[in-house]
Amino acid sequence: MSNSLISIGISGLAAAQAGLTTTGNNTANVNTPGYDLETVQTVPGAGSSTSGTYIGSGTQVSNITRSYSQYLTTQLNQAQASSASLSTYSTQINQIDSQLGSTTTGLAPLMQTFFTDVQGVANSPDDTAARQQLISSAQSLANQFSTTSAYLSGLSTGVNSEIAGNVSQINSYTSQIAGLNTQISQASIAAGGQAPNGLLDQRDQLVSQLSKVVGTTVVTQSNGQLNIIIGNGQSLVQGGKSYALQAVSSAANPNQTVVALTTGSGQPTVLPDSTLTGGSLGGVLQFRDSSLASAQNAIGQLAITVASTVNAQQSLGVDLNGTQGQNIFSQASPTIVANTANTGNMAFTAAFSNAAQLTNSDYKLTVSGAQNALQYSVTRLSDNTVVVPPTATASPLAFDGVTLSVASGAANSGDSFLIQPTLNGAQNMQMTLTDPAGVAAASPIVTGNTTTNQGSGALSAGTVNAAYLATPLTSGVTLTYNSTSGTLSGFPTSAPVTVTPSGGTPTTYAAGTAVPFTAGAAMSFNGISVSLSGKPSNGDTFTIGQNTSGVSDGSNALLMGALQNAKTMNGGTTNYNASYTQLVSSVANQASQLNTASTAQTSLTSQIQASQQSVSGVNLDEETSNLLMYQQMYQANAQVIQAAVTTFAAILAVATST
């Protein structure tokens, strides 16, 4: 009996010691990231039947288990992936919001200053100071466009670096997880199926850290090893094997870094950005694809339109020297990038055909069909709209204000090209006019009423359009009114005349014929437009001539100033300021929504983490209580052994005495 009692006491001591050790381990790891609370599991020892009575044989430690919830752990990893993605996206877009919305570094105040100074020249075309002020504000505007573009380009470069850094982190985590998979399997076998808790904690912590970098799906195999899956089912970890990601240059756009997965054959496969969701990697990819690229294109579109329309109006005027106006700003050209996987050598050139039709999208040109009957199509990438259906003609291809022409070479089926019409529009905007006298504030034509006229007819100041540049006046035009026929004659004999009454239908008259007079109607020829009001008398004459000196004429500058409110963008639906305001508002709204979503997701993640820690975390108060309990258990079992020894000694003494 005493031997059995000793055995029972010893088993109790062993269980108490295991409890003390486990409690001490819990307490020591209270602040260890990823540590799960461990609990000693005991079972009664096998009993024996003596004299018809079943007597127990003590206890034994069956296992030391982790307090672990797969459900809560999975929820937490998913919440962390969403939180990291939103936080990254929010941080990035707030940088754009700060740049574009600034009252000091934004474009809006500089555009306003530029057009205010244009109006100043229109009011005082002979004022050198006003002209110099216009040159300075134009320079500031061009500089700010370039600075804004450089800032956004810097963000793009930073995104590439972040992608590479995230890929490096992912590879480190997956390699360690695969290694732990092997260690856990081996340790479990060596321990007779018992779970190696410390290794499991390490692996779970790595999976948790991985979820903050990229969203994953975790699958537990029957042998306890984990498979880690991303994207559309691509494996990063399969048991003890990990597959590395690579940050590589995109074949379609070498300026962008994309993510590729190294397969079993060692050949990297590029993963679409849209499949890499969650985590900081998913957030930075979504920022680049959804916000950064459109902001760069929108700023470029605005710069191109401002430069194009201002230069066009400048070219329709004459400067202080009486010569045709030269460009104020440099003109950008669309960017064309050949896919590095192309097998053909065709090269394209691109030009803007109509700035008003430009969008803030990129485009993809695709070559398809049989080699002897190749077809070319263009897709707008922002909405996947085919803007040029498949055609057998490669040149020219016209779409959304852009015209492509073949420069050289030949294409093969499967070749593709990325067309970025506006990406570099702001970057390449520079001030080209430096001489204040070169501002073409005056109209190239002057009109007049002969002083000997008897009637009340008055010829308006003339305006010109782009057609005038092809057929400028080389000599004066004198219009004579005939009261008998009610017509005006004297128009150039080589040019038809179009008469458009106010609110009426235009009528075109053959070159060299007299034109019926309608008071206030616009009369247009060779790009010149004038109108005659009042009631002229028979024989009254009116003159249209070249303007050889722009000193006192600000009419062209007035038209240039009117461009500020003219609807010259997005298909003629918005003006410069409205377009820029729309961009700033869109970015600000996105930033606000993401800030709100990020804050809410962070709160949700904290709640899930608290729930997970309520199951798996170490509570020092509970561990202190357990420590006292196991200490008392140890002391009590020691007393059991002492009692067994005393009993055995008493029995031995009785046996000896007899």
Side-chain angles (χ1 to χ4, degrees), residues 508-521:
T508 300
Y509 299 90
T513 61
V515 174
F517 166 68
T518 301

Side-chain angles (χ1 to χ4, degrees), residues 183-196 223:
Q183 292 180 51
I184 289 168
S185 179
Q186 293 172 345
S188 180
I189 293 173
Q194 297 296 317
N223 62 0

Side-chain angles (χ1 to χ4, degrees), residues 99-139:
Q99 175 71 17
L100 299 184
S102 172
T103 57
T104 55
T105 62
L107 287 164
L110 291 176
M111 283 195 293
Q112 179 60 51
T113 299
F114 171 73
F115 283 106
T116 297
D117 291 340
V118 170
Q119 188 62 50
V121 173
N123 295 337
S124 304
D126 57 346
D127 187 346
T128 303
R131 287 172 169 267
Q132 183 59 60
Q133 184 62 38
L134 173 57
I135 294 294
S136 297
S137 61
Q139 181 68 68

Side-chain angles (χ1 to χ4, degrees), residues 255-328:
N255 291 322
Q256 281 192 350
T257 297
V258 293
V259 179
L261 176 65
T262 304
T263 61
S265 63
Q267 183 66 30
T269 301
V270 173
L271 303 177
D273 290 354
S274 59
T275 66
L276 298 170
T277 58
S280 54
L281 177 60
V284 77
L285 288 173
Q286 190 176 5
F287 162 71
R288 180 179 70 184
D289 297 340
S290 300
S291 299
L292 178 57
S294 61
Q296 286 180 290
N297 286 339
I299 291 297
Q301 178 190 5
L302 179 59
I304 290 166
T305 306
V306 169
S308 176
T309 52
V310 168
N311 286 347
Q313 193 61 56
Q314 164 81 355
S315 70
L316 295 179
V318 293
D319 60 19
L320 285 180
N321 300 314
T323 58
Q324 179 185 336
Q326 302 300 305
N327 285 347
I328 294 178

Side-chain angles (χ1 to χ4, degrees), residues 408-442:
S408 62
N412 290 327
S413 181
D415 288 355
S416 65
F417 301 81
L418 177 67
I419 297 97
Q420 298 174 304
T422 61
L423 178 67
N424 297 317
Q427 173 185 325
N428 295 330
M429 187 176 183
Q430 297 178 355
M431 180 73 176
T432 57
L433 182 67
T434 58
D435 183 5
V439 176

Side-chain angles (χ1 to χ4, degrees), residues 36 66-74 612 615-616:
D36 289 327
R66 296 190 303 157
S67 297
Y68 176 77
S69 169
Q70 180 66 58
Y71 172 73
L72 289 174
T73 299
T74 300
Q612 190 260 356
V615 173
S616 301

Side-chain angles (χ1 to χ4, degrees), residues 115-486:
F115 283 106
T116 297
D117 291 340
V118 170
Q119 188 62 50
V121 173
N123 295 337
S124 304
D126 57 346
D127 187 346
T128 303
R131 287 172 169 267
Q132 183 59 60
Q133 184 62 38
L134 173 57
I135 294 294
S136 297
S137 61
Q139 181 68 68
S140 297
L141 180 60
N143 288 346
Q144 190 56 45
F145 267 115
S146 181
T147 298
T148 302
S149 178
Y151 180 82
L152 296 177
S153 294
L155 290 181
S156 182
T157 301
V159 165
N160 288 340
S161 297
E162 284 197 46
I163 292 171
N166 285 329
V167 165
S168 178
Q169 279 186 299
I170 292 170
N171 289 339
S172 174
Y173 291 142
T174 56
S175 175
Q176 293 178 71
I177 291 170
L180 283 169
N181 271 341
T182 300
Q183 292 180 51
I184 289 168
S185 179
Q186 293 172 345
S188 180
I189 293 173
Q194 297 296 317
N197 294 333
L199 295 178
L200 291 172
D201 286 346
Q202 291 179 44
R203 188 179 65 179
D204 287 345
Q205 179 64 10
L206 287 170
V207 172
S208 175
Q209 294 300 317
L210 178 62
S211 72
K212 297 176 183 178
V213 186
V214 67
T216 63
T217 299
V218 181
V219 179
T220 303
Q221 300 183 60
S222 59
N223 62 0
Q225 295 187 341
L226 299 182
N227 290 347
I228 308 292
I229 300 169
I230 60 170
N232 291 328
Q234 291 81 14
S235 293
L236 289 183
V237 176
Q238 282 186 329
K241 175 69 175 178
S242 65
Y243 299 95
L245 296 177
Q246 294 183 38
V248 299
S249 295
S250 168
N253 182 4
N255 291 322
Q256 281 192 350
T257 297
V258 293
V259 179
L261 176 65
T262 304
T263 61
S265 63
Q267 183 66 30
T269 301
V270 173
L271 303 177
D273 290 354
S274 59
T275 66
L276 298 170
T277 58
S280 54
L281 177 60
V284 77
L285 288 173
Q286 190 176 5
F287 162 71
R288 180 179 70 184
D289 297 340
S290 300
S291 299
L292 178 57
S294 61
Q296 286 180 290
N297 286 339
I299 291 297
Q301 178 190 5
L302 179 59
I304 290 166
T305 306
V306 169
S308 176
T309 52
V310 168
N311 286 347
Q313 193 61 56
Q314 164 81 355
S315 70
L316 295 179
V318 293
D319 60 19
L320 285 180
N321 300 314
T323 58
Q324 179 185 336
Q326 302 300 305
N327 285 347
I328 294 178
F329 301 109
S330 61
Q331 296 269 195
S333 297
T335 300
I336 303 175
V337 182
N339 194 301
T340 57
N342 286 356
T343 57
N345 63 352
M346 180 172 283
F348 287 89
T349 59
F352 297 117
S353 56
N354 186 347
Q357 300 299 322
L358 292 176
T359 72
N360 62 357
S361 177
D362 292 341
Y363 300 79
K364 182 179 181 180
L365 186 156
T366 304
V367 183
S368 61
Q371 196 61 38
N372 59 351
L374 293 176
Q375 294 182 318
Y376 302 81
S377 63
V378 178
T379 301
R380 186 167 54 226
L381 297 180
S382 61
D383 56 9
N384 288 322
T385 297
V386 177
V387 293
V388 177
T391 173
T393 305
S395 181
L397 299 173
F399 56 91
D400 291 351
V402 177
T403 300
L404 299 182
S405 302
V406 174
S408 62
N412 290 327
S413 181
D415 288 355
S416 65
F417 301 81
L418 177 67
I419 297 97
Q420 298 174 304
T422 61
L423 178 67
N424 297 317
Q427 173 185 325
N428 295 330
M429 187 176 183
Q430 297 178 355
M431 180 73 176
T432 57
L433 182 67
T434 58
D435 183 5
V439 176
S443 171
I445 62 173
V446 291
T447 61
N449 307 314
T450 305
T451 57
T452 57
N453 287 352
Q454 299 298 308
S456 60
L459 191 64
S460 69
T463 59
V464 299
N465 58 32
Y468 175 79
L469 300 178
T471 55
L473 283 178
T474 55
S475 60
V477 173
T478 300
L479 305 181
T480 303
Y481 177 68
N482 185 319
S483 60
T484 302
S485 60

Side-chain angles (χ1 to χ4, degrees), residues 5-17 20 59 627-645:
L5 192 58
I6 290 174
S7 297
I8 291 173
I10 291 174
S11 71
L13 282 176
Q17 185 175 17
L20 286 169
T59 187
L627 190 64
L628 292 173
M629 179 188 69
Y630 286 122
Q631 185 178 10
Q632 291 173 351
M633 178 181 173
Y634 194 94
Q635 292 171 347
N637 279 281
Q639 291 296 322
V640 169
I641 295 173
Q642 182 63 45
V645 170

